[in-house]
Amino acid sequence: MSELLIRVLGPVEVQAPGRAAVSPAPSVRALLARLAGSPGRVMSADALTDALWGEELPADAANALQIRVSKLRRVLASAGLDAAVLTTRAPGYQLTLPPEAVDAHRFDTAVARARTAADQEAALAAYDEALGLWRGPALADVGETDWVRAERLRLEELRLAALEDRLELLVDTGRHAAVVAELESMVAEHPLRERLHRLLMLALYRAGRQADALAVEQRLRHRLAEELGIDPSPDLRALTEAILRQQIPSAAPAAPAKPATSARPAASVAVPARLSSFLGRDADLRTTLRELRAARLVTLTGPGGVGKTTLSLETARLVEPAIADTVHIIRLAALAPDADVAGAFAAQLGVQTPGPGAPAAEAVAEHLRQRRALLVVDNCEHVVDATATVVEHLLQATTGVRVLATSREALAVAGETQVAVGPLAVPDETAAPDEIAASPAVRLFLDRARSVRPGLELDAGAARAVAAICRRLDGMPLAIELAAARAKALPPAEIADRLRDRFALLTAGPRSSEARHRTLRATIDWSHDLLPEGERRLLRRLAVFRGGWTLDAAEQVCGFGGSAPADVADLLFRLVDQSLVTADPDTGRFRLLVTIREYAWMKLREAGEEDDCRRRHLAHYIAMAEEHGPLVRYTGPAWDLLVEDQDNLRAAIEFCVERVAEPPEPGLRLAAALVPFWNYGPRYEGVRAITALLERGGSDAARARALQGLALLYVYYPTPESRAAARESLALFTALGLDHEAAVSRIVVAFEGQYGGDPEEHRALIRRSREDLGEQDGGWWHAMTYYVEALINLRCSEFEDSVRDWRRSLDLLGAADDRMMSSAARAHLGVALRQTGRLDEALTQLRSAADECRALGSLHGLAFALVHLAHTRLDLGETERVPAELAEADEIARRVRNPRNPAWAAWGRARLALTRGDATAAADDLRRALELLEDREFPWARDQLRAAYAEATAADLPVTGH
């Protein structure tokens, strides 16, 4: 170990070997202390300026920092050190000293050695060594910036925890009388610290002072009630009850020294008391207890931070005597990957062994052979092979031992039962506040947030924000607890907003927890760093996917540069085994939790592979869209496939739109292939994407397809721009000699005939397209020729011809298995039948269309069918269901921004008002219907509406022709 050079556990000092200690000038103490907190690591200039000045930065902070660095180098040189130990490295500075050169690190190391010592005397010696490094309050002469206060509190908390550990060891080994005075002094200094009170009560009781022990609890109870309004913890209340009943066991005599084994977890034969509530895992707890009754090895698997350790300890607390009469906690997190796992088992169980490895495992088996014990083996993933060997040996060599393990991957031992521990259930952000508050993830957030901010209330706004936090954090308990810790300073809405940079925000884990659980990034780093290079490579490349992927997609996109496509399957399954990728065996799809995906995305960028992966991702989804897009029929196989990968398709489009300096052809190809999909779903996405891509030019063929697609997305509500796009696409396809595509563009142009123009000109376009297309595309476009011609006939009041063409279109669409377009044709058939006076037939068709649209989730179609169903009922004198149908149609139309149906709904309400004799209300609704309808409806419908308004108001309004 190197000579001590830097001291921060007291006044800050520098001491070179063989030289007197030097106290730096006040202006550089904080800088030295901050650098000494991370020896060997580069500290950014921003972190250093924050430590030195907090929010009160000097005018030129960078220059001021450089001046202090220069001063510190002179101090180090005057102390006998090479000034080069403080080097400049982007993005800041680095103190190039080993960690053991700093007393705070030596303190941590000594405390860890004490907690992992094999015997009590060695532990006491290590605690004494650690506490002897303190020369007063930490950072005693450094100042009062936010960082200094936080670091001072952190170090002081570690010192108190070590003191408590040492005192507990003395109390537990019969030296209670010697520590009473020290405990009384510490209780007076820390009057709300329950662990000190518990130790003092135990020491007093074992010294024969039962009344004094109870008085300690009484004083604490009064102080907690008066100052905090709370009661002592259940553990302290249980201790009080045991003292009253004189059921406290005698202290164990100090054990003789045993051979020390380095780097082993400390012995533990009892389940530690809970320090916080256990929430949201009742079903998992029942499952784990049930599996433990049936199997001797149960492994809790799941990603880091999901709560496996918490669940295992709660299971151990509730385990029935029928399963085990003794519980031992075996903690493996502190072990190095090549550590002696069998020796660690032995050390924690207090078993002396003849040697490491197999002899140690046999000694443990012999120790447990006649016992009914439950071993809770925590954090196996980094030593999984060695742990599996030890566990298998113990299960084979004993009959009464059961093992409950926690690991990010299974042990793969015969007879093992896996219990997958998943994230907590999260609520929908639109749910009622009471429903949000009842969800497991939100209950956990509130419980932890109220421990740092007791007055936190969950009103409607806060409920939505907390629901958003829990959803964006995938319901992961560790991430939720880290977010809740920020409630001390931030409102929930701001926490939710700042989750855009979750790894910077979620860094406030308990100081007493393991380092890998103190920040969200550290938790994922732990899992990532255990992976072989091939698995790391695949994990980062999978970040390119959105919402999930198939094995084929992973092979095509990620199989390059060191990973052949044939290697991807095995690597992917390994990531599933290690709980980093979530698999859905029912669908064959895989996904990353959002937090892991963001971490992997950072790694992808660090590796310089982002652009390559995104291009391969784009190529894969262009091929998928071009193969399946033309076959899209709502609810059909092609539709289902594209819906599953909708997030990936959006990401591919975004990539094309972002690359403004590159040719737009790949994006135009993808967009054109997706037009049939967009036409049945999010049309606005298609309009936005195609418009952005067309602005960048492209070849004539690519532009023609995109222009045709843009026009198709507007066929029901054409704009001047969409009409121009349809005609330009027709001209381009004609010039290119692409007859099929030109025929489709003629149909798109003919769609305009539903609202105006020369009907014969539009019918001529339709007839030519019908001849050119024939039965291509499975007859779908052939069906559309009758669909468009039926619309033109409906516009021209040629209702019988319209009925005929709607029926032809329905037959062809049925053969093409397009239920969505069939429902639209059926609703329009109902409208045409109503105009011919065949009201019963119209009612049947409209009712069927409404039912079909509701089943398909077609909101535009449902609103259209409902308003015309309501009008048909009014024609028949059936008014009972009309108000509800009109209200539903109006609400749906408002949500989907449909401009036609609100007019029909207002018209229907006016007709209802007239049946009640309320001409004023009828006139108001008719006036609103006229304002809404404008020119977006068939001329006969506008004429009928004007006539109805004129009748209601006795006004002389002109009636337009067809």
Side-chain angles (χ1 to χ4, degrees):
M1 182 175 290
S2 65
E3 292 292 324
L4 184 63
L5 297 175
I6 298 174
R7 297 190 180 102
V8 296
L9 302 179
V12 175
E13 294 178 347
V14 183
Q15 185 176 23
R19 302 285 292 269
V22 173
S23 178
S27 61
V28 295
R29 287 173 193 156
L31 175 60
L32 176 58
R34 187 67 183 92
L35 288 164
S38 302
R41 292 178 56 196
V42 176
M43 297 296 301
S44 71
D46 288 345
L48 293 172
T49 55
D50 183 67
L52 293 174
W53 295 289
E55 295 182 356
E56 299 177 2
L57 292 175
D60 187 349
N63 185 55
L65 176 61
Q66 289 175 359
I67 291 171
R68 295 207 178 187
V69 168
S70 297
K71 288 182 178 180
L72 178 55
R73 284 180 174 139
R74 289 196 292 271
V75 169
L76 295 172
S78 69
L81 299 178
D82 185 351
V85 299
L86 177 53
T87 61
T88 302
R89 290 218 178 147
Y93 300 90
Q94 179 184 26
L95 192 63
T96 56
L97 291 173
E100 58 265 28
V102 182
D103 61 353
H105 178 83
R106 287 192 176 183
F107 169 80
D108 288 341
T109 302
V111 170
R113 194 166 67 251
R115 290 171 177 162
T116 60
D119 67 271
Q120 297 129 342
E121 296 307 315
L124 282 171
Y127 279 126
D128 290 339
E129 176 191 334
L131 294 166
L133 294 168
W134 286 74
R135 299 166 292 109
L139 307 172
D141 56 353
V142 172
E144 290 297 329
T145 65
D146 289 345
W147 173 80
V148 172
R149 284 191 289 270
E151 184 64 2
R152 188 179 291 143
L153 284 172
R154 185 185 75 83
L155 292 169
E156 177 61 14
E157 177 63 29
L158 293 175
R159 185 185 74 86
L160 283 174
L163 271 170
E164 289 171 336
D165 287 349
R166 176 182 177 276
L167 291 167
E168 184 162 13
L169 187 57
L170 290 170
V171 171
D172 287 348
T173 55
R175 287 168 273 195
H176 39 268
V179 299
V180 167
E182 185 177 358
L183 279 167
E184 286 177 332
S185 174
M186 291 189 69
V187 163
E189 187 179 352
H190 304 281
L192 298 177
R193 204 169 177 95
E194 281 202 8
R195 188 181 180 193
L196 289 173
H197 286 77
R198 180 177 65 80
L199 291 173
L200 178 55
M201 291 168 66
L202 275 172
L204 289 168
Y205 177 84
R206 286 174 175 161
R209 298 166 59 183
Q210 181 179 358
D212 291 339
L214 293 171
V216 171
E217 192 271 350
Q218 193 70 17
R219 286 193 297 272
L220 177 62
R221 179 185 296 276
H222 286 313
R223 186 180 287 273
L224 290 173
E226 290 172 4
E227 296 186 19
L228 301 178
I230 62 175
D231 292 325
S233 68
D235 290 341
L236 200 69
R237 295 200 300 271
L239 176 61
T240 302
E241 183 69 17
I243 289 173
L244 285 168
R245 297 182 179 184
Q246 298 188 350
Q247 294 178 339
I248 301 295
S250 300
K258 294 188 283 289
T261 53
S262 62
R264 291 179 177 178
S268 175
V269 296
V271 183
R274 269 199 275 115
L275 299 179
S276 57
S277 51
F278 180 78
L279 295 169
R281 291 291 188 197
D282 293 344
D284 291 327
L285 185 59
R286 289 192 297 272
T287 298
T288 306
L289 285 168
R290 183 182 68 243
E291 296 300 339
L292 266 179
R293 296 185 194 104
R296 293 180 62 206
L297 170 58
V298 175
T299 302
L300 304 179
T301 60
V306 81
K308 301 182 295 296
T309 297
T310 301
L311 177 58
S312 70
L313 293 177
E314 192 65 17
T315 302
R317 292 184 187 105
L318 299 179
V319 73
E320 306 101 318
I323 295 176
D325 50 27
T326 306
V327 175
H328 300 277
I329 311 299
I330 310 294
R331 300 183 187 276
L332 303 181
L335 297 184
D338 58 352
D340 176 19
V341 173
F345 272 67
Q348 296 198 53
L349 293 167
V351 176
Q352 296 191 49
T353 72
E362 181 55 36
V364 171
E366 182 60 33
H367 175 73
L368 297 172
R369 191 159 277 132
Q370 304 303 318
R371 303 177 186 232
R372 293 173 54 257
L374 172 65
L375 303 184
V376 178
V377 186
D378 192 31
N379 293 118
C380 305
E381 53 269 5
H382 62 303
V383 286
V384 65
D385 292 336
T387 303
T389 299
V390 174
V391 167
E392 185 174 45
H393 178 72
L394 294 179
L395 294 176
Q396 290 174 345
T398 66
T399 57
V401 171
R402 294 174 188 263
V403 175
L404 175 60
T406 73
S407 179
R408 297 179 195 186
E409 60 176 310
L411 300 187
V413 170
E416 178 183 33
T417 295
Q418 294 182 48
V419 175
V421 183
L424 296 174
V426 296
D428 193 287
E429 296 168 36
T430 61
D434 288 348
E435 184 180 344
I436 289 174
S439 77
V442 171
R443 286 172 58 208
L444 178 65
F445 179 92
L446 292 176
D447 181 82
R448 304 305 189 254
R450 284 167 179 163
S451 70
V452 296
R453 186 178 165 189
L456 179 64
E457 296 294 332
L458 195 71
D459 57 22
R464 287 192 297 273
V466 173
I469 291 167
C470 295
R471 182 167 291 280
R472 292 173 198 174
L473 294 176
D474 303 301
M476 294 292 285
L478 174 64
I480 290 170
E481 291 185 353
L482 292 172
R486 293 305 187 195
K488 184 176 183 179
L490 298 174
E494 188 166 350
I495 295 173
D497 184 59
R498 287 180 176 271
L499 286 178
R500 290 171 307 205
D501 189 2
R502 63 190 64 201
F503 295 111
L505 179 70
L506 305 184
T507 58
R511 296 188 180 99
S512 59
S513 64
E514 295 169 2
R516 64 195 175 86
H517 280 166
R518 291 180 195 159
T519 72
L520 186 61
R521 172 141 193 180
T523 298
I524 307 176
D525 278 339
W526 168 267
S527 294
H528 177 266
D529 293 348
L530 294 175
L531 299 176
E533 178 54 34
E535 291 166 29
R536 292 186 193 184
R537 186 187 301 120
L538 178 60
L539 179 64
R540 67 177 180 253
R541 292 175 180 177
L542 292 173
V544 77
F545 291 105
R546 300 290 191 277
W549 66 88
T550 62
L551 176 57
D552 177 67
E555 290 171 334
Q556 297 300 317
V557 175
C558 303
F560 71 98
S563 295
D567 300 331
V568 169
D570 183 61
L571 294 170
L572 180 59
F573 298 150
R574 288 287 300 147
L575 292 175
V576 172
D577 289 342
Q578 294 172 82
S579 305
L580 288 167
V581 170
T582 301
D584 183 348
D586 292 332
T587 64
R589 291 183 66 82
F590 304 82
R591 69 183 180 91
L592 293 174
L593 295 177
V594 175
T595 298
I596 294 176
R597 186 195 165 274
E598 292 196 5
Y599 177 90
W601 188 259
M602 290 192 303
K603 293 295 183 182
L604 186 68
R605 285 183 166 172
E606 289 172 9
E609 295 180 342
E610 177 187 354
D611 200 62
D612 286 343
C613 281
R614 293 191 74 179
R615 290 183 188 282
R616 294 177 68 88
H617 179 273
L618 170 62
H620 176 77
Y621 285 101
I622 287 176
M624 172 189 282
E626 289 183 335
E627 179 181 355
H628 299 284
L631 305 177
V632 162
R633 301 292 181 264
Y634 193 82
T635 74
W639 168 265
D640 293 342
L641 185 68
L642 296 182
V643 166
E644 277 189 331
D645 269 310
Q646 190 166 359
D647 289 335
N648 281 309
L649 295 166
R650 286 173 178 149
I653 285 287
E654 287 168 12
F655 178 66
C656 296
V657 171
E658 290 168 6
R659 294 301 196 267
V660 294
E662 298 184 12
E665 269 75 13
L668 290 171
R669 279 180 60 194
L670 177 58
L674 287 176
V675 166
F677 175 71
W678 282 328
N679 210 24
Y680 289 103
R683 293 179 187 170
Y684 65 92
E685 287 187 17
V687 170
R688 185 174 57 202
I690 294 174
T691 301
L693 291 165
L694 281 171
E695 290 175 356
R696 288 162 46 197
S699 67
D700 286 350
R703 285 183 56 79
R705 289 185 174 87
L707 287 164
Q708 183 190 87
L710 185 65
L712 269 168
L713 296 174
Y714 276 108
V715 290
Y716 288 108
Y717 307 106
T719 65
E721 293 78 11
S722 71
R723 290 186 173 101
R727 283 167 168 73
E728 186 178 352
S729 74
L730 176 57
L732 286 170
F733 282 133
T734 301
L736 291 166
L738 298 173
D739 295 339
H740 177 276
E741 289 79 1
V744 172
S745 287
R746 280 193 293 273
I747 295 175
V748 179
V749 172
F751 253 106
E752 299 171 15
Q754 67 184 303
Y755 293 124
D758 182 354
E760 289 308 317
E761 178 182 335
H762 291 127
R763 285 174 175 138
L765 290 171
I766 292 168
R767 284 193 293 271
R768 182 174 174 186
S769 290
R770 189 177 292 151
E771 292 171 2
D772 290 348
L773 289 168
E775 296 298 320
Q776 296 180 52
D777 302 308
W780 190 87
W781 279 113
H782 194 64
M784 293 308 297
T785 63
Y786 288 106
Y787 188 103
V788 179
E789 191 159 12
L791 280 174
I792 295 171
N793 291 333
L794 194 57
R795 165 214 159 185
C796 296
S797 302
E798 297 171 7
F799 301 121
E800 291 292 352
D801 291 342
S802 182
V803 167
R804 179 199 63 217
D805 289 334
W806 286 124
R807 294 192 191 281
R808 287 177 177 173
S809 179
L810 263 174
D811 290 341
L812 292 168
L813 288 169
D817 196 27
D818 191 334
R819 294 171 60 196
M820 179 75 83
M821 289 305 297
S822 291
S823 67
R826 194 175 303 281
H828 282 89
L829 172 60
V831 173
L833 287 167
R834 178 181 168 229
Q835 294 305 309
T836 66
R838 286 176 271 181
L839 299 180
D840 290 331
E841 284 187 69
L843 192 70
T844 298
Q845 295 294 341
L846 288 164
R847 189 189 295 121
S848 177
D851 290 344
E852 186 77 352
C853 289
R854 197 183 300 279
L856 295 171
S858 170
L859 297 181
H860 284 283
L862 179 58
F864 182 86
L866 284 172
V867 289
H868 288 284
L869 179 61
H871 276 274
T872 306
R873 292 190 194 279
L874 287 168
D875 293 344
L876 291 166
E878 302 174 3
T879 60
E880 182 179 354
R881 299 183 184 179
V882 169
E885 289 170 343
L886 291 175
E888 184 182 4
D890 216 5
E891 170 61 18
I892 293 171
R894 182 190 62 78
R895 283 161 51 198
V896 299
R897 300 180 182 178
N898 184 303
R900 296 169 68 184
N901 294 317
W904 283 94
W907 187 355
R909 286 192 296 273
R911 293 181 67 186
L912 279 172
L914 287 173
T915 64
R916 300 192 305 268
D918 189 345
T920 301
D924 288 342
D925 277 320
L926 287 166
R927 184 182 302 108
R928 179 169 179 270
L930 279 169
E931 291 170 354
L932 289 169
L933 207 58
E934 297 177 353
D935 62 347
R936 291 186 290 252
E937 195 47 88
F938 301 120
W940 56 264
R942 295 200 301 271
D943 288 348
Q944 291 177 7
L945 180 57
R946 286 173 177 272
Y949 180 71
E951 183 178 348
T953 60
D956 184 17
L957 296 178
V959 175
T960 62
H962 297 157

